[in-house]
Amino acid sequence: CACQNCHPGRAEDVASSVHGMAFAQGQSPSAVCYKCHSGHQVYQQKGRNRATCGGCHEQIEKEYEHSLHGYALGKGIDKAPDCTGCHGDHRILPSTNPESHIFRRNIGKTCGKCHGEEAVMAEGNIRLPRAAFTYETSVHGLAMSRGLDNAATCLDCHGDHSLKGAGDATSRINVNNISTTCGKCHPTI
Protein backbone atom coordinates (compact mmCIF):
# COMPACT_ATOMS: atom_id res chain seq x y z
CA CYS A 1 0.00 0.00 0.00
CA ALA A 2 1.46 3.34 -1.00
CA CYS A 3 1.49 6.21 1.51
CA GLN A 4 -0.60 8.44 -0.75
CA ASN A 5 -3.48 5.92 -0.71
CA CYS A 6 -4.20 6.78 2.93
CA HIS A 7 -2.62 10.24 3.02
CA PRO A 8 -3.42 11.85 -0.36
CA GLY A 9 -3.34 15.41 0.99
CA ARG A 10 0.10 14.90 2.52
CA ALA A 11 1.50 13.59 -0.78
CA GLU A 12 0.13 16.69 -2.55
CA ASP A 13 1.66 18.95 0.11
CA VAL A 14 5.07 17.30 -0.30
CA ALA A 15 4.80 17.50 -4.08
CA SER A 16 4.28 21.29 -3.82
CA SER A 17 7.11 21.74 -1.31
CA VAL A 18 10.86 22.23 -1.65
CA HIS A 19 11.07 18.44 -1.41
CA GLY A 20 8.79 18.06 -4.42
CA MET A 21 11.81 17.77 -6.73
CA ALA A 22 11.96 14.11 -5.75
CA PHE A 23 8.51 13.63 -7.24
CA ALA A 24 9.54 15.52 -10.36
CA GLN A 25 12.57 13.22 -10.71
CA GLY A 26 10.27 10.21 -10.82
CA GLN A 27 10.71 8.83 -7.30
CA SER A 28 7.60 7.19 -5.92
CA PRO A 29 5.75 9.18 -3.28
CA SER A 30 6.25 6.32 -0.79
CA ALA A 31 10.03 6.43 -1.28
CA VAL A 32 9.97 10.19 -0.67
CA CYS A 33 7.83 9.73 2.47
CA TYR A 34 10.15 7.06 3.82
CA LYS A 35 13.11 9.45 3.76
CA CYS A 36 11.56 11.39 6.64
CA HIS A 37 9.43 8.75 8.29
CA SER A 38 11.86 5.85 8.55
CA GLY A 39 12.50 4.46 12.01
CA HIS A 40 16.06 5.74 12.46
CA GLN A 41 15.08 9.35 11.85
CA VAL A 42 12.63 9.74 14.70
CA TYR A 43 13.10 11.27 18.15
CA GLN A 44 11.43 9.25 20.89
CA GLN A 45 10.04 11.78 23.34
CA LYS A 46 7.37 11.21 25.98
CA GLY A 47 6.01 8.29 23.98
CA ARG A 48 5.69 10.50 20.90
CA ASN A 49 7.59 10.13 17.66
CA ARG A 50 8.96 13.25 16.03
CA ALA A 51 10.33 13.00 12.53
CA THR A 52 13.76 14.53 12.07
CA CYS A 53 15.44 15.92 9.02
CA GLY A 54 18.97 14.67 9.74
CA GLY A 55 18.92 12.05 7.01
CA CYS A 56 19.41 14.81 4.45
CA HIS A 57 20.30 17.76 6.68
CA GLU A 58 22.79 16.14 9.04
CA GLN A 59 24.90 19.23 9.85
CA ILE A 60 21.87 21.38 10.56
CA GLU A 61 20.45 18.69 12.82
CA LYS A 62 23.73 18.59 14.77
CA GLU A 63 23.60 22.37 15.22
CA TYR A 64 19.98 22.12 16.35
CA GLU A 65 20.75 19.38 18.88
CA HIS A 66 23.26 21.73 20.58
CA SER A 67 20.92 24.74 20.48
CA LEU A 68 18.53 25.96 23.16
CA HIS A 69 15.61 24.46 21.24
CA GLY A 70 17.36 21.09 20.93
CA TYR A 71 18.30 21.20 24.60
CA ALA A 72 14.68 21.89 25.58
CA LEU A 73 13.45 19.02 23.41
CA GLY A 74 16.05 16.74 24.95
CA LYS A 75 14.86 17.72 28.44
CA GLY A 76 11.37 16.56 27.49
CA ILE A 77 9.72 19.95 27.09
CA ASP A 78 6.82 18.92 24.92
CA LYS A 79 6.33 22.26 23.16
CA ALA A 80 10.01 22.74 22.27
CA PRO A 81 10.21 23.49 18.55
CA ASP A 82 11.67 20.93 16.21
CA CYS A 83 12.22 21.27 12.46
CA THR A 84 8.49 21.23 11.70
CA GLY A 85 7.76 23.85 14.37
CA CYS A 86 9.58 26.47 12.31
CA HIS A 87 9.52 25.12 8.76
CA GLY A 88 6.15 23.39 8.68
CA ASP A 89 5.67 19.71 8.12
CA HIS A 90 4.82 18.49 4.63
CA ARG A 91 4.39 21.70 2.60
CA ILE A 92 7.79 23.22 3.31
CA LEU A 93 8.22 26.24 1.08
CA PRO A 94 11.45 28.04 0.20
CA SER A 95 12.28 31.08 2.31
CA THR A 96 11.71 33.29 -0.74
CA ASN A 97 8.02 32.31 -0.91
CA PRO A 98 5.76 34.81 0.94
CA GLU A 99 3.67 31.86 2.22
CA SER A 100 6.69 30.19 3.83
CA HIS A 101 6.93 30.13 7.62
CA ILE A 102 10.51 31.34 7.23
CA PHE A 103 9.87 34.10 4.68
CA ARG A 104 11.57 37.16 6.14
CA ARG A 105 8.31 39.00 6.97
CA ASN A 106 6.91 35.86 8.64
CA ILE A 107 9.83 35.16 11.01
CA GLY A 108 8.36 37.19 13.90
CA LYS A 109 5.03 35.41 13.56
CA THR A 110 6.72 31.99 13.36
CA CYS A 111 8.85 32.64 16.46
CA GLY A 112 5.84 34.23 18.13
CA LYS A 113 3.89 30.95 17.95
CA CYS A 114 5.91 29.93 21.01
CA HIS A 115 7.61 33.10 22.18
CA GLY A 116 4.28 34.90 22.32
CA GLU A 117 2.69 32.37 24.66
CA GLU A 118 3.47 32.99 28.32
CA ALA A 119 2.47 29.43 29.32
CA VAL A 120 4.89 27.96 26.76
CA MET A 121 7.65 30.26 27.94
CA ALA A 122 7.01 29.33 31.57
CA GLU A 123 7.30 25.62 30.75
CA GLY A 124 10.74 26.27 29.26
CA ASN A 125 11.75 28.69 32.03
CA ILE A 126 12.31 31.50 29.52
CA ARG A 127 13.17 34.83 31.15
CA LEU A 128 11.34 36.99 28.60
CA PRO A 129 7.82 35.55 28.43
CA ARG A 130 6.59 38.25 26.03
CA ALA A 131 9.52 38.27 23.62
CA ALA A 132 7.27 38.24 20.54
CA PHE A 133 5.35 41.30 21.76
CA THR A 134 8.62 43.04 22.61
CA TYR A 135 9.87 42.42 19.05
CA GLU A 136 6.59 43.53 17.43
CA THR A 137 6.69 46.86 19.27
CA SER A 138 10.43 47.42 18.78
CA VAL A 139 11.87 49.63 16.07
CA HIS A 140 12.80 46.47 14.13
CA GLY A 141 9.37 44.87 14.42
CA LEU A 142 7.58 48.09 13.51
CA ALA A 143 9.85 48.59 10.50
CA MET A 144 9.16 45.03 9.33
CA SER A 145 5.40 45.52 9.74
CA ARG A 146 5.71 48.61 7.53
CA GLY A 147 7.27 46.52 4.77
CA LEU A 148 10.95 47.30 5.33
CA ASP A 149 12.26 43.83 4.54
CA ASN A 150 15.81 44.69 5.60
CA ALA A 151 14.69 45.29 9.20
CA ALA A 152 16.18 42.84 11.69
CA THR A 153 14.24 39.66 12.42
CA CYS A 154 14.59 37.33 15.38
CA LEU A 155 17.03 35.20 13.36
CA ASP A 156 19.32 38.13 12.55
CA CYS A 157 20.08 38.68 16.22
CA HIS A 158 19.60 35.24 17.76
CA GLY A 159 20.59 32.88 14.95
CA ASP A 160 18.58 29.99 13.64
CA HIS A 161 19.56 26.34 13.98
CA SER A 162 22.39 26.96 16.44
CA LEU A 163 20.47 29.34 18.71
CA LYS A 164 22.38 29.90 21.97
CA GLY A 165 21.51 31.67 25.22
CA ALA A 166 23.05 34.96 26.29
CA GLY A 167 25.26 33.18 28.84
CA ASP A 168 26.99 31.13 26.13
CA ALA A 169 30.24 32.80 25.00
CA THR A 170 29.49 31.78 21.38
CA SER A 171 25.99 33.28 21.39
CA ARG A 172 25.24 36.21 19.12
CA ILE A 173 23.50 37.88 22.05
CA ASN A 174 26.28 37.31 24.58
CA VAL A 175 27.33 40.65 26.04
CA ASN A 176 30.76 40.31 24.39
CA ASN A 177 29.22 39.70 20.94
CA ILE A 178 26.41 42.27 20.86
CA SER A 179 28.47 44.92 19.05
CA THR A 180 29.38 42.41 16.32
CA THR A 181 25.78 41.23 15.99
CA CYS A 182 24.33 44.73 15.82
CA GLY A 183 27.26 45.90 13.70
CA LYS A 184 26.20 43.65 10.83
CA CYS A 185 23.35 46.06 10.13
CA HIS A 186 24.72 49.13 11.92
CA PRO A 187 28.42 49.18 11.05
CA THR A 188 28.94 52.89 11.78
CA ILE A 189 27.33 52.71 15.22
Side-chain angles (χ1 to χ4, degrees):
C1 175
C3 301
Q4 69 271 19
N5 290 345
C6 296
H7 307 282
R10 296 292 189 205
E12 290 169 12
D13 285 345
V14 173
S16 66
S17 77
V18 294
H19 298 113
M21 283 191 298
F23 285 107
Q25 294 171 350
Q27 290 186 27
S28 76
S30 295
V32 174
C33 297
Y34 187 75
K35 285 184 177 190
C36 297
H37 293 285
S38 65
H40 70 279
Q41 293 175 301
V42 173
Y43 286 120
Q44 296 289 330
Q45 184 214 3
K46 289 187 178 180
R48 218 173 100 193
N49 291 333
R50 286 183 168 205
T52 71
C53 302
C56 296
H57 304 283
E58 185 177 359
Q59 182 58 40
I60 292 171
E61 184 172 77
K62 285 179 183 177
E63 290 175 21
Y64 167 82
E65 287 174 351
H66 298 321
S67 74
L68 287 177
H69 291 150
Y71 175 73
L73 185 63
K75 281 185 65 175
I77 296 175
D78 191 44
K79 299 208 183 230
D82 57 11
C83 305
T84 63
C86 299
H87 294 276
D89 53 13
H90 294 95
R91 189 171 179 255
I92 300 172
L93 301 172
S95 62
T96 55
N97 185 319
E99 293 181 34
S100 171
H101 297 289
I102 58 167
F103 181 67
R104 194 156 177 81
R105 284 191 199 161
N106 298 336
I107 296 292
K109 180 179 171 184
T110 297
C111 296
K113 287 186 300 189
C114 295
H115 290 275
E117 297 292 327
E118 290 187 42
V120 174
M121 296 295 89
E123 181 183 5
N125 198 25
I126 307 296
R127 292 183 303 164
L128 300 171
R130 300 192 64 203
F133 176 76
T134 302
Y135 171 75
E136 288 173 5
T137 58
S138 74
V139 66
H140 297 121
L142 292 172
M144 184 63 72
S145 70
R146 292 182 182 125
L148 298 174
D149 290 341
N150 63 343
T153 69
C154 308
L155 302 182
D156 292 321
C157 299
H158 295 278
D160 48 19
H161 303 109
S162 59
L163 175 73
K164 304 285 186 196
D168 185 314
T170 63
S171 171
R172 292 181 185 186
I173 59 167
N174 179 280
V175 67
N176 296 315
N177 301 329
I178 291 288
S179 60
T180 302
T181 300
C182 298
K184 289 182 180 176
C185 296
H186 304 285
T188 60
I189 300 174

